[in-house]
Amino acid sequence: MQGLVPWVERLVVRDTRRCELLGEPVLDKSSNSVTARWRMVGDLKLFWKPRIDVVGRTVFTYGDLSDGGRVYRYDETWATAPSEALMQLLRPRRGD
């Protein structure tokens, strides 16, 4: 995540950045995981002002709670197809 922050700061307009949680995260004690669905939106600092708007989910897998319960695995998938995300970057935005 630390490596991503400078890119977001450089490329995404601050006032347009948002990440929304879509529903309550789901705890699965049998697999020591938490699943969260989200939507990420932001306008890029490019002259044609494209907007990225993607939906996805992240599964955080954590270790034994008696050992601190730290997250040791992070899996992210997008519901938005890669081709659609790419088209969003290439498509000029008209209005809001």
Side-chain angles (χ1 to χ4, degrees):
M1 198 64 172
Q2 290 292 337
L4 184 60
V5 171
W7 290 104
V8 170
E9 290 291 328
R10 262 188 230 119
L11 296 174
V12 184
V13 177
R14 178 177 299 278
D15 294 345
T16 67
R17 296 180 214 161
R18 69 180 189 275
C19 189
E20 304 166 358
L21 197 55
L22 302 177
E24 291 291 318
V26 176
L27 172 64
D28 182 349
K29 290 182 179 181
S30 67
S31 64
N32 284 3
S33 67
V34 176
T35 301
R37 289 189 60 246
W38 46 262
R39 177 179 177 217
M40 179 178 60
V41 181
D43 295 343
L44 275 66
K45 295 178 184 177
L46 300 170
F47 70 88
W48 62 94
K49 300 178 181 166
R51 174 173 286 166
I52 187 81
D53 186 347
V54 295
V55 172
R57 76 177 174 94
T58 303
V59 178
F60 301 93
T61 306
Y62 55 91
D64 191 78
L65 293 178
S66 65
D67 195 26
R70 294 178 186 247
V71 171
Y72 69 86
R73 186 173 175 173
Y74 166 96
D75 293 306
E76 181 177 295
T77 57
W78 288 11
T80 304
S83 58
E84 172 57 25
L86 178 61
M87 287 307 297
Q88 290 178 20
L89 295 175
L90 300 175
R91 186 181 311 126
R93 186 170 53 88
R94 302 176 200 265
D96 278 359

Coordinates of all heavy atoms in Angstrom, one line a residue:
M1 N 0.8 -1.2 0.0 CA 0.0 0.0 0.0 C 0.9 1.3 0.0 O 0.5 2.2 -0.7 CB -0.9 -0.1 1.2 CG -2.1 0.8 1.2 SD -3.2 0.3 -0.2 CE -4.5 1.4 0.2
Q2 N 2.0 1.2 0.8 CA 2.9 2.4 0.8 C 3.4 2.8 -0.6 O 3.5 4.0 -0.8 CB 4.0 2.1 1.8 CG 3.7 2.0 3.2 CD 3.2 3.4 3.8 OE1 3.5 4.4 3.3 NE2 2.4 3.3 4.8
G3 N 3.6 1.8 -1.4 CA 4.1 2.1 -2.7 C 3.1 2.7 -3.7 O 3.4 3.4 -4.6
L4 N 1.8 2.5 -3.3 CA 0.7 3.0 -4.2 C 0.4 4.5 -3.8 O 0.0 5.2 -4.7 CB -0.5 2.1 -3.9 CG -1.7 2.4 -4.8 CD1 -1.4 2.3 -6.3 CD2 -2.8 1.5 -4.4
V5 N 0.6 4.9 -2.6 CA 0.2 6.2 -2.2 C 0.8 7.3 -3.0 O 0.0 8.2 -3.4 CB 0.5 6.4 -0.7 CG1 0.3 7.8 -0.2 CG2 -0.4 5.5 0.2
P6 N 2.1 7.3 -3.3 CA 2.6 8.4 -4.1 C 2.0 8.5 -5.5 O 1.8 9.6 -6.1 CB 4.1 8.1 -4.2 CG 4.4 7.2 -3.1 CD 3.1 6.5 -2.8
W7 N 1.6 7.4 -6.1 CA 1.0 7.4 -7.4 C -0.4 7.9 -7.3 O -0.8 8.7 -8.2 CB 1.0 5.9 -8.0 CG 2.3 5.5 -8.4 CD1 3.1 4.6 -7.7 CD2 3.1 5.9 -9.5 NE1 4.3 4.5 -8.3 CE2 4.3 5.2 -9.4 CE3 2.8 6.8 -10.5 CZ2 5.3 5.4 -10.4 CZ3 3.8 6.9 -11.5 CH2 5.0 6.3 -11.4
V8 N -1.2 7.6 -6.3 CA -2.5 8.1 -6.1 C -2.4 9.6 -5.9 O -3.2 10.3 -6.6 CB -3.2 7.4 -5.0 CG1 -4.5 8.1 -4.6 CG2 -3.5 5.9 -5.3
E9 N -1.5 10.1 -5.1 CA -1.3 11.5 -4.9 C -1.1 12.2 -6.2 O -1.6 13.3 -6.4 CB -0.2 11.8 -3.9 CG -0.5 11.3 -2.4 CD -1.6 12.2 -1.8 OE1 -1.7 13.4 -2.1 OE2 -2.4 11.7 -1.0
R10 N -0.2 11.7 -7.0 CA 0.2 12.3 -8.3 C -0.9 12.3 -9.3 O -1.0 13.2 -10.1 CB 1.4 11.6 -8.8 CG 2.7 12.3 -8.5 CD 3.9 11.7 -9.2 NE 4.9 11.5 -8.2 CZ 5.4 10.3 -7.9 NH1 5.0 9.3 -8.5 NH2 6.3 10.2 -7.0
L11 N -1.6 11.2 -9.4 CA -2.5 10.9 -10.5 C -4.0 11.1 -10.3 O -4.8 11.3 -11.3 CB -2.3 9.5 -11.1 CG -0.9 9.2 -11.6 CD1 -0.8 7.7 -11.9 CD2 -0.6 10.1 -12.8
V12 N -4.5 11.1 -9.1 CA -5.9 11.2 -8.8 C -6.2 12.5 -8.1 O -5.6 12.8 -7.1 CB -6.4 10.0 -8.0 CG1 -7.9 10.0 -7.9 CG2 -6.0 8.7 -8.7
V13 N -7.2 13.2 -8.6 CA -7.6 14.5 -8.0 C -8.2 14.2 -6.6 O -9.1 13.4 -6.4 CB -8.8 15.2 -8.9 CG1 -9.3 16.4 -8.2 CG2 -8.2 15.4 -10.3
R14 N -7.6 14.9 -5.6 CA -7.9 14.6 -4.2 C -9.4 14.7 -3.9 O -9.9 13.8 -3.2 CB -7.2 15.6 -3.3 CG -7.5 15.4 -1.8 CD -6.7 16.3 -0.9 NE -5.3 16.2 -1.0 CZ -4.5 15.2 -0.4 NH1 -5.2 14.4 0.4 NH2 -3.2 15.2 -0.5
D15 N -10.1 15.7 -4.3 CA -11.5 15.9 -4.0 C -12.4 14.8 -4.6 O -13.6 14.7 -4.3 CB -12.0 17.3 -4.3 CG -11.3 18.3 -3.5 OD1 -10.7 18.0 -2.5 OD2 -11.4 19.5 -3.9
T16 N -11.9 14.1 -5.6 CA -12.8 13.1 -6.3 C -12.5 11.7 -5.8 O -13.2 10.8 -6.2 CB -12.6 13.2 -7.8 OG1 -11.2 12.7 -8.1 CG2 -12.8 14.6 -8.3
R17 N -11.5 11.5 -5.0 CA -11.1 10.1 -4.6 C -12.1 9.6 -3.5 O -12.4 10.3 -2.5 CB -9.7 10.1 -3.9 CG -8.6 10.5 -4.7 CD -7.4 10.4 -3.9 NE -6.5 11.5 -4.3 CZ -5.5 11.9 -3.6 NH1 -5.3 11.5 -2.4 NH2 -4.7 12.8 -4.1
R18 N -12.5 8.4 -3.7 CA -13.3 7.8 -2.6 C -13.3 6.3 -2.8 O -13.2 5.7 -3.9 CB -14.7 8.3 -2.6 CG -15.7 8.0 -3.7 CD -17.0 8.6 -3.4 NE -18.0 8.2 -4.3 CZ -18.2 8.6 -5.6 NH1 -17.5 9.6 -6.0 NH2 -19.1 8.1 -6.3
C19 N -13.4 5.6 -1.7 CA -13.6 4.2 -1.6 C -14.7 3.9 -0.7 O -14.7 4.3 0.5 CB -12.3 3.5 -1.1 SG -12.3 1.7 -1.3
E20 N -15.7 3.2 -1.2 CA -17.0 2.9 -0.5 C -17.0 1.5 -0.1 O -16.8 0.6 -1.0 CB -18.2 3.3 -1.3 CG -18.2 4.7 -1.8 CD -19.3 4.9 -2.9 OE1 -20.0 4.0 -3.3 OE2 -19.4 6.1 -3.3
L21 N -17.4 1.2 1.1 CA -17.6 -0.2 1.5 C -19.0 -0.6 1.0 O -20.0 0.1 1.3 CB -17.5 -0.3 3.0 CG -17.3 -1.7 3.6 CD1 -16.1 -2.4 3.0 CD2 -17.1 -1.6 5.1
L22 N -19.2 -1.7 0.3 CA -20.5 -2.1 -0.2 C -21.0 -3.2 0.7 O -20.8 -4.4 0.5 CB -20.4 -2.6 -1.6 CG -19.9 -1.6 -2.6 CD1 -19.7 -2.2 -4.0 CD2 -20.7 -0.3 -2.7
G23 N -21.7 -2.8 1.8 CA -22.3 -3.7 2.7 C -21.3 -4.0 3.8 O -20.2 -3.5 3.9
E24 N -21.7 -4.8 4.7 CA -20.9 -5.2 5.9 C -19.8 -6.2 5.5 O -20.1 -7.1 4.7 CB -21.8 -5.8 7.0 CG -22.7 -4.9 7.6 CD -22.0 -3.8 8.5 OE1 -21.1 -4.2 9.2 OE2 -22.4 -2.6 8.4
P25 N -18.6 -6.1 6.0 CA -17.6 -7.1 5.8 C -18.1 -8.5 6.3 O -18.9 -8.5 7.3 CB -16.4 -6.6 6.5 CG -16.6 -5.2 6.7 CD -18.1 -5.0 6.8
V26 N -17.7 -9.6 5.7 CA -18.1 -10.9 6.1 C -17.0 -11.6 6.8 O -15.9 -11.8 6.2 CB -18.6 -11.7 4.9 CG1 -19.0 -13.1 5.3 CG2 -19.8 -11.0 4.3
L27 N -17.2 -12.0 8.0 CA -16.2 -12.8 8.8 C -16.4 -14.3 8.6 O -17.5 -14.7 8.8 CB -16.3 -12.4 10.3 CG -15.4 -13.2 11.3 CD1 -14.0 -13.0 11.0 CD2 -15.8 -12.8 12.7
D28 N -15.4 -15.0 8.2 CA -15.4 -16.4 8.1 C -14.4 -17.0 9.1 O -13.2 -17.1 8.8 CB -15.1 -16.8 6.7 CG -15.2 -18.3 6.4 OD1 -15.3 -19.1 7.4 OD2 -15.2 -18.8 5.3
K29 N -14.9 -17.4 10.2 CA -14.0 -17.9 11.3 C -13.3 -19.2 10.9 O -12.2 -19.5 11.3 CB -14.7 -18.1 12.6 CG -15.1 -16.8 13.2 CD -15.8 -17.0 14.5 CE -16.2 -15.7 15.2 NZ -16.8 -15.8 16.5
S30 N -14.0 -20.0 10.0 CA -13.4 -21.3 9.6 C -12.2 -21.2 8.8 O -11.3 -22.0 8.8 CB -14.5 -22.2 8.9 OG -14.8 -21.6 7.6
S31 N -12.1 -20.0 8.1 CA -10.9 -19.8 7.2 C -10.0 -18.6 7.7 O -9.1 -18.2 7.0 CB -11.3 -19.6 5.8 OG -12.0 -18.4 5.7
N32 N -10.4 -18.1 8.9 CA -9.7 -16.9 9.5 C -9.6 -15.8 8.4 O -8.5 -15.3 8.2 CB -8.3 -17.3 10.0 CG -8.3 -18.0 11.3 OD1 -9.4 -18.3 11.8 ND2 -7.1 -18.3 11.8
S33 N -10.8 -15.5 7.9 CA -10.7 -14.4 6.9 C -11.9 -13.4 7.0 O -12.9 -13.8 7.6 CB -10.8 -15.0 5.5 OG -12.0 -15.7 5.2
V34 N -11.7 -12.3 6.4 CA -12.7 -11.2 6.4 C -12.8 -10.8 4.9 O -11.7 -10.5 4.3 CB -12.4 -10.0 7.3 CG1 -13.4 -8.9 7.1 CG2 -12.2 -10.4 8.7
T35 N -14.0 -10.8 4.4 CA -14.2 -10.4 3.0 C -15.0 -9.1 2.9 O -16.0 -8.9 3.6 CB -15.0 -11.5 2.2 OG1 -14.2 -12.7 2.2 CG2 -15.2 -11.0 0.7
A36 N -14.4 -8.1 2.2 CA -15.1 -6.8 2.0 C -15.3 -6.5 0.5 O -14.4 -6.7 -0.3 CB -14.2 -5.7 2.7
R37 N -16.5 -6.1 0.2 CA -16.8 -5.6 -1.2 C -16.7 -4.1 -1.1 O -17.1 -3.4 -0.2 CB -18.2 -6.0 -1.6 CG -18.3 -7.5 -1.9 CD -19.6 -8.0 -2.5 NE -19.8 -7.3 -3.8 CZ -20.8 -6.4 -4.0 NH1 -21.6 -6.0 -3.1 NH2 -20.9 -5.8 -5.2
W38 N -16.2 -3.5 -2.2 CA -15.9 -2.1 -2.2 C -16.1 -1.5 -3.6 O -16.1 -2.2 -4.6 CB -14.5 -1.7 -1.7 CG -13.5 -2.6 -2.3 CD1 -12.9 -3.8 -1.7 CD2 -12.8 -2.5 -3.6 NE1 -12.0 -4.3 -2.6 CE2 -11.9 -3.6 -3.7 CE3 -12.9 -1.6 -4.6 CZ2 -11.1 -3.8 -4.8 CZ3 -12.2 -1.8 -5.8 CH2 -11.3 -2.9 -5.9
R39 N -16.2 -0.2 -3.7 CA -16.2 0.6 -4.9 C -15.2 1.7 -4.8 O -15.2 2.4 -3.8 CB -17.6 1.2 -5.2 CG -17.6 2.0 -6.4 CD -19.1 2.5 -6.6 NE -19.1 3.4 -7.8 CZ -19.8 4.5 -7.9 NH1 -20.6 4.8 -6.8 NH2 -19.8 5.2 -8.9
M40 N -14.3 1.8 -5.8 CA -13.3 2.8 -5.8 C -13.5 3.8 -7.0 O -13.7 3.3 -8.1 CB -11.9 2.2 -5.9 CG -10.8 3.1 -5.9 SD -9.2 2.2 -6.0 CE -9.3 1.3 -7.5
V41 N -13.5 5.1 -6.7 CA -13.8 6.1 -7.7 C -12.8 7.2 -7.6 O -12.4 7.6 -6.5 CB -15.2 6.7 -7.6 CG1 -15.5 7.7 -8.7 CG2 -16.3 5.6 -7.6
G42 N -12.4 7.8 -8.8 CA -11.5 8.9 -8.8 C -11.3 9.5 -10.2 O -11.3 8.7 -11.1
D43 N -11.1 10.8 -10.3 CA -10.8 11.4 -11.5 C -9.3 11.6 -11.7 O -8.6 12.0 -10.7 CB -11.5 12.8 -11.6 CG -13.0 12.8 -11.6 OD1 -13.5 11.7 -11.8 OD2 -13.6 13.8 -11.3
L44 N -8.8 11.2 -12.8 CA -7.4 11.3 -13.0 C -6.9 12.6 -13.5 O -7.7 13.3 -14.2 CB -6.9 10.2 -14.1 CG -6.7 8.8 -13.4 CD1 -7.9 8.2 -12.9 CD2 -6.0 7.9 -14.4
K45 N -5.7 13.0 -13.1 CA -5.2 14.3 -13.5 C -4.6 14.3 -14.9 O -3.4 14.5 -15.1 CB -4.1 14.7 -12.5 CG -4.6 14.9 -11.1 CD -3.4 15.3 -10.2 CE -3.8 15.4 -8.7 NZ -2.7 15.7 -7.8
L46 N -5.4 14.0 -15.9 CA -5.0 14.0 -17.3 C -5.9 15.0 -18.0 O -7.0 15.2 -17.6 CB -5.2 12.6 -17.9 CG -4.3 11.5 -17.2 CD1 -4.7 10.1 -17.6 CD2 -2.8 11.7 -17.4
F47 N -5.4 15.5 -19.1 CA -6.2 16.6 -19.8 C -7.6 16.2 -20.3 O -8.5 17.0 -20.4 CB -5.4 17.3 -20.9 CG -5.2 16.4 -22.1 CD1 -6.1 16.4 -23.1 CD2 -4.0 15.6 -22.2 CE1 -5.9 15.6 -24.3 CE2 -3.8 14.8 -23.3 CZ -4.7 14.8 -24.4
W48 N -7.8 14.9 -20.5 CA -9.1 14.5 -21.0 C -10.0 14.0 -19.8 O -11.2 13.7 -19.9 CB -9.1 13.4 -22.0 CG -8.4 12.1 -21.6 CD1 -9.1 11.0 -21.1 CD2 -7.0 11.7 -21.6 NE1 -8.2 10.0 -20.8 CE2 -6.9 10.4 -21.1 CE3 -5.9 12.4 -22.0 CZ2 -5.7 9.8 -21.0 CZ3 -4.7 11.8 -21.9 CH2 -4.6 10.5 -21.4
K49 N -9.5 14.2 -18.5 CA -10.2 14.0 -17.3 C -11.0 12.6 -17.2 O -12.2 12.6 -16.9 CB -11.2 15.1 -17.0 CG -10.4 16.5 -17.0 CD -11.4 17.6 -16.8 CE -10.6 18.9 -16.7 NZ -11.3 20.1 -16.8
P50 N -10.3 11.5 -17.4 CA -11.0 10.3 -17.3 C -11.3 10.0 -15.8 O -10.7 10.5 -14.9 CB -10.0 9.2 -17.8 CG -8.7 9.8 -17.5 CD -8.9 11.3 -17.7
R51 N -12.4 9.2 -15.6 CA -12.8 8.8 -14.2 C -12.6 7.3 -14.2 O -13.2 6.5 -15.0 CB -14.2 9.2 -14.0 CG -14.7 8.6 -12.6 CD -16.1 9.2 -12.2 NE -15.9 10.6 -11.8 CZ -16.9 11.4 -11.7 NH1 -18.1 11.1 -12.0 NH2 -16.6 12.7 -11.3
I52 N -12.0 6.8 -13.1 CA -11.9 5.4 -12.9 C -13.0 5.0 -11.8 O -13.2 5.8 -10.9 CB -10.5 4.9 -12.4 CG1 -10.4 3.4 -12.3 CG2 -10.1 5.6 -11.1 CD1 -10.1 2.8 -13.6
D53 N -13.8 4.0 -12.1 CA -14.9 3.6 -11.2 C -14.9 2.1 -11.3 O -15.5 1.5 -12.2 CB -16.2 4.3 -11.7 CG -17.3 4.0 -10.8 OD1 -17.2 3.2 -9.9 OD2 -18.3 4.7 -11.0
V54 N -14.4 1.4 -10.3 CA -14.3 0.0 -10.3 C -14.9 -0.6 -9.0 O -14.9 0.1 -7.9 CB -12.9 -0.5 -10.5 CG1 -12.3 -0.2 -11.8 CG2 -11.9 0.0 -9.4
V55 N -15.4 -1.8 -9.1 CA -16.0 -2.5 -8.0 C -15.1 -3.8 -7.8 O -14.7 -4.4 -8.8 CB -17.5 -2.9 -8.3 CG1 -18.0 -3.8 -7.2 CG2 -18.3 -1.6 -8.4
G56 N -14.9 -4.1 -6.6 CA -14.1 -5.3 -6.3 C -14.4 -5.9 -4.9 O -15.3 -5.4 -4.2
R57 N -13.5 -6.8 -4.6 CA -13.6 -7.4 -3.2 C -12.2 -7.7 -2.8 O -11.3 -8.0 -3.6 CB -14.5 -8.6 -3.1 CG -13.9 -9.9 -3.7 CD -14.8 -11.1 -3.5 NE -14.3 -12.2 -4.2 CZ -13.5 -13.1 -3.6 NH1 -13.2 -13.0 -2.3 NH2 -13.0 -14.1 -4.3
T58 N -12.0 -7.7 -1.5 CA -10.7 -8.0 -0.9 C -11.0 -9.0 0.2 O -11.9 -8.9 1.0 CB -10.1 -6.7 -0.3 OG1 -9.9 -5.8 -1.3 CG2 -8.7 -7.1 0.3
V59 N -10.1 -10.0 0.2 CA -10.2 -11.1 1.3 C -8.9 -10.9 2.1 O -7.8 -11.0 1.6 CB -10.3 -12.5 0.7 CG1 -10.3 -13.5 1.9 CG2 -11.6 -12.6 -0.1
F60 N -9.1 -10.6 3.4 CA -8.0 -10.5 4.3 C -7.9 -11.8 5.1 O -8.9 -12.1 5.8 CB -8.1 -9.3 5.3 CG -8.3 -8.0 4.6 CD1 -9.5 -7.5 4.3 CD2 -7.1 -7.3 4.3 CE1 -9.6 -6.3 3.7 CE2 -7.3 -6.0 3.7 CZ -8.5 -5.5 3.4
T61 N -6.8 -12.5 5.1 CA -6.7 -13.7 5.9 C -5.7 -13.4 7.0 O -4.6 -12.9 6.8 CB -6.1 -14.9 5.0 OG1 -7.0 -15.0 3.9 CG2 -6.1 -16.2 5.8
Y62 N -6.1 -13.8 8.2 CA -5.4 -13.4 9.4 C -4.9 -14.7 10.1 O -5.5 -15.8 10.0 CB -6.2 -12.5 10.3 CG -7.5 -13.1 10.7 CD1 -7.6 -13.8 11.9 CD2 -8.6 -12.8 10.0 CE1 -8.8 -14.4 12.3 CE2 -9.9 -13.3 10.4 CZ -9.9 -14.1 11.5 OH -11.2 -14.6 11.9
G63 N -3.8 -14.5 10.9 CA -3.3 -15.6 11.7 C -4.1 -15.9 12.9 O -5.1 -15.2 13.2
D64 N -3.7 -16.8 13.7 CA -4.3 -17.2 14.9 C -4.4 -16.0 15.9 O -3.5 -15.3 16.1 CB -3.5 -18.3 15.6 CG -4.3 -18.9 16.7 OD1 -5.2 -19.7 16.5 OD2 -4.0 -18.6 17.9
L65 N -5.6 -15.8 16.4 CA -5.8 -14.7 17.3 C -4.9 -14.7 18.6 O -4.5 -13.7 19.1 CB -7.3 -14.6 17.7 CG -8.3 -14.3 16.6 CD1 -9.7 -14.3 17.1 CD2 -8.0 -12.9 16.0
S66 N -4.6 -15.9 19.0 CA -3.7 -16.0 20.2 C -2.3 -15.6 19.9 O -1.5 -15.3 20.7 CB -3.7 -17.5 20.7 OG -3.1 -18.3 19.7
D67 N -2.0 -15.5 18.6 CA -0.7 -15.0 18.1 C -0.8 -13.6 17.5 O 0.1 -13.2 16.8 CB -0.2 -16.0 17.1 CG 1.3 -15.8 16.8 OD1 2.0 -15.4 17.7 OD2 1.7 -16.2 15.7
G68 N -1.8 -12.8 17.9 CA -1.9 -11.4 17.5 C -2.9 -11.2 16.3 O -3.3 -10.1 16.1
G69 N -3.3 -12.3 15.6 CA -4.3 -12.1 14.6 C -3.9 -11.2 13.4 O -4.8 -10.6 12.8
R70 N -2.6 -11.1 13.1 CA -2.2 -10.2 12.0 C -2.6 -10.8 10.7 O -2.5 -12.0 10.4 CB -0.7 -10.0 12.1 CG -0.3 -9.3 13.3 CD 1.3 -9.2 13.4 NE 1.7 -8.6 14.6 CZ 2.2 -7.4 14.7 NH1 2.5 -6.7 13.7 NH2 2.6 -7.0 15.9
V71 N -2.9 -9.8 9.8 CA -3.2 -10.2 8.4 C -1.9 -10.7 7.7 O -0.9 -10.0 7.8 CB -3.8 -9.0 7.6 CG1 -3.9 -9.3 6.1 CG2 -5.1 -8.6 8.2
Y72 N -1.9 -11.9 7.1 CA -0.7 -12.4 6.4 C -1.0 -12.6 5.0 O -0.1 -12.9 4.2 CB -0.2 -13.7 7.1 CG -1.1 -14.9 7.0 CD1 -1.0 -15.7 5.8 CD2 -2.0 -15.2 7.9 CE1 -1.8 -16.8 5.7 CE2 -2.8 -16.3 7.8 CZ -2.7 -17.1 6.7 OH -3.5 -18.2 6.5
R73 N -2.2 -12.5 4.5 CA -2.5 -12.6 3.1 C -3.6 -11.6 2.7 O -4.6 -11.4 3.5 CB -3.0 -14.0 2.9 CG -3.2 -14.3 1.4 CD -3.5 -15.8 1.2 NE -3.8 -16.0 -0.2 CZ -4.0 -17.2 -0.7 NH1 -3.9 -18.3 0.1 NH2 -4.3 -17.3 -2.0
Y74 N -3.5 -11.1 1.5 CA -4.4 -10.1 1.0 C -4.7 -10.4 -0.4 O -3.8 -10.4 -1.2 CB -3.7 -8.7 1.2 CG -4.3 -7.6 0.4 CD1 -5.2 -6.7 1.1 CD2 -4.0 -7.3 -0.9 CE1 -5.7 -5.6 0.4 CE2 -4.5 -6.2 -1.5 CZ -5.4 -5.4 -0.9 OH -5.9 -4.3 -1.5
D75 N -5.9 -10.8 -0.7 CA -6.3 -11.1 -2.1 C -7.4 -10.1 -2.6 O -8.4 -10.0 -2.0 CB -6.9 -12.5 -2.2 CG -5.8 -13.6 -1.9 OD1 -4.7 -13.5 -2.5 OD2 -6.0 -14.4 -1.0
E76 N -7.1 -9.5 -3.7 CA -8.0 -8.5 -4.3 C -8.5 -8.9 -5.7 O -7.6 -9.3 -6.5 CB -7.4 -7.1 -4.3 CG -8.2 -6.0 -4.9 CD -7.5 -4.7 -4.9 OE1 -7.2 -4.2 -3.8 OE2 -7.3 -4.2 -6.0
T77 N -9.8 -8.9 -5.9 CA -10.3 -9.1 -7.3 C -11.2 -8.0 -7.6 O -11.9 -7.4 -6.8 CB -11.0 -10.5 -7.3 OG1 -12.1 -10.5 -6.4 CG2 -10.1 -11.7 -7.1
W78 N -11.3 -7.7 -8.9 CA -12.2 -6.7 -9.4 C -13.4 -7.3 -10.1 O -13.2 -8.3 -10.9 CB -11.5 -5.8 -10.4 CG -10.5 -4.9 -9.8 CD1 -10.0 -4.9 -8.5 CD2 -9.8 -3.8 -10.5 NE1 -9.1 -3.9 -8.4 CE2 -8.9 -3.2 -9.5 CE3 -9.9 -3.3 -11.7 CZ2 -8.1 -2.1 -9.9 CZ3 -9.1 -2.2 -12.1 CH2 -8.2 -1.6 -11.1
A79 N -14.6 -6.8 -9.8 CA -15.8 -7.3 -10.6 C -15.8 -6.6 -11.9 O -16.4 -7.1 -12.9 CB -17.0 -7.0 -9.8
T80 N -15.1 -5.4 -12.0 CA -15.0 -4.7 -13.2 C -14.0 -5.4 -14.1 O -12.9 -5.6 -13.6 CB -14.6 -3.2 -13.0 OG1 -15.5 -2.6 -12.1 CG2 -14.5 -2.4 -14.2
A81 N -14.3 -5.7 -15.3 CA -13.4 -6.4 -16.2 C -12.2 -5.4 -16.5 O -12.4 -4.2 -16.6 CB -14.1 -6.7 -17.6
P82 N -11.0 -6.0 -16.6 CA -9.8 -5.2 -17.0 C -10.0 -4.4 -18.2 O -9.6 -3.2 -18.3 CB -8.7 -6.3 -17.2 CG -9.2 -7.4 -16.4 CD -10.7 -7.4 -16.5
S83 N -10.7 -4.9 -19.2 CA -10.9 -4.2 -20.5 C -11.7 -2.9 -20.2 O -11.5 -1.9 -20.8 CB -11.5 -5.0 -21.5 OG -12.8 -5.6 -21.1
E84 N -12.8 -3.0 -19.3 CA -13.6 -1.9 -19.0 C -12.8 -0.9 -18.2 O -13.0 0.3 -18.4 CB -14.8 -2.4 -18.2 CG -15.7 -1.2 -17.6 CD -16.2 -0.2 -18.7 OE1 -16.3 -0.6 -19.9 OE2 -16.4 1.0 -18.3
A85 N -12.0 -1.3 -17.3 CA -11.2 -0.4 -16.5 C -10.2 0.4 -17.4 O -10.0 1.6 -17.3 CB -10.4 -1.1 -15.4
L86 N -9.6 -0.3 -18.4 CA -8.8 0.3 -19.4 C -9.5 1.3 -20.2 O -9.1 2.5 -20.4 CB -8.1 -0.7 -20.3 CG -7.2 -0.1 -21.4 CD1 -6.0 0.7 -20.8 CD2 -6.7 -1.3 -22.2
M87 N -10.7 1.0 -20.6 CA -11.6 1.9 -21.4 C -11.9 3.2 -20.6 O -12.0 4.3 -21.2 CB -12.8 1.2 -21.9 CG -12.6 0.2 -23.0 SD -11.6 0.9 -24.4 CE -12.7 2.1 -25.1
Q88 N -12.1 3.0 -19.3 CA -12.4 4.2 -18.5 C -11.2 5.1 -18.5 O -11.4 6.3 -18.5 CB -12.7 3.7 -17.0 CG -14.0 3.0 -16.9 CD -14.2 2.6 -15.4 OE1 -13.6 3.1 -14.5 NE2 -15.1 1.6 -15.3
L89 N -10.0 4.6 -18.5 CA -8.8 5.5 -18.6 C -8.7 6.2 -19.9 O -8.1 7.3 -20.0 CB -7.6 4.6 -18.3 CG -7.5 4.0 -16.9 CD1 -6.3 3.1 -16.8 CD2 -7.5 5.1 -15.8
L90 N -9.2 5.6 -20.9 CA -9.0 6.2 -22.3 C -10.2 7.1 -22.7 O -10.0 7.9 -23.6 CB -8.9 5.0 -23.3 CG -7.7 4.1 -23.1 CD1 -7.7 3.0 -24.1 CD2 -6.4 4.9 -23.2
R91 N -11.3 6.9 -22.0 CA -12.6 7.6 -22.4 C -12.6 9.0 -21.7 O -12.5 9.1 -20.5 CB -13.8 6.8 -21.9 CG -15.1 7.3 -22.4 CD -16.3 6.4 -21.8 NE -16.0 5.0 -22.1 CZ -16.1 4.1 -21.2 NH1 -16.4 4.3 -19.9 NH2 -15.9 2.8 -21.5
P92 N -12.7 10.1 -22.5 CA -12.9 11.4 -21.9 C -14.2 11.4 -21.1 O -15.2 10.8 -21.5 CB -13.0 12.3 -23.1 CG -12.5 11.6 -24.3 CD -12.7 10.1 -24.0
R93 N -14.2 12.1 -20.0 CA -15.4 12.3 -19.2 C -16.1 13.5 -19.6 O -15.6 14.6 -19.8 CB -15.1 12.3 -17.7 CG -16.2 12.3 -16.8 CD -15.8 12.1 -15.3 NE -14.8 13.1 -14.9 CZ -15.1 14.3 -14.4 NH1 -16.4 14.7 -14.3 NH2 -14.1 15.1 -14.1
R94 N -17.5 13.4 -19.7 CA -18.3 14.6 -20.1 C -19.1 15.0 -18.9 O -20.0 14.2 -18.5 CB -19.2 14.2 -21.3 CG -18.4 13.8 -22.5 CD -19.4 13.4 -23.6 NE -18.7 12.6 -24.6 CZ -18.2 13.0 -25.7 NH1 -18.3 14.3 -26.0 NH2 -17.6 12.2 -26.5
G95 N -18.9 16.1 -18.3 CA -19.7 16.6 -17.2 C -19.5 15.8 -16.0 O -18.6 15.0 -15.9
D96 N -20.4 15.9 -15.0 CA -20.3 15.1 -13.8 C -21.4 14.1 -13.9 O -21.9 13.4 -13.2 CB -20.3 16.0 -12.6 CG -18.9 16.5 -12.2 OD1 -18.0 16.2 -13.0 OD2 -18.8 17.2 -11.3

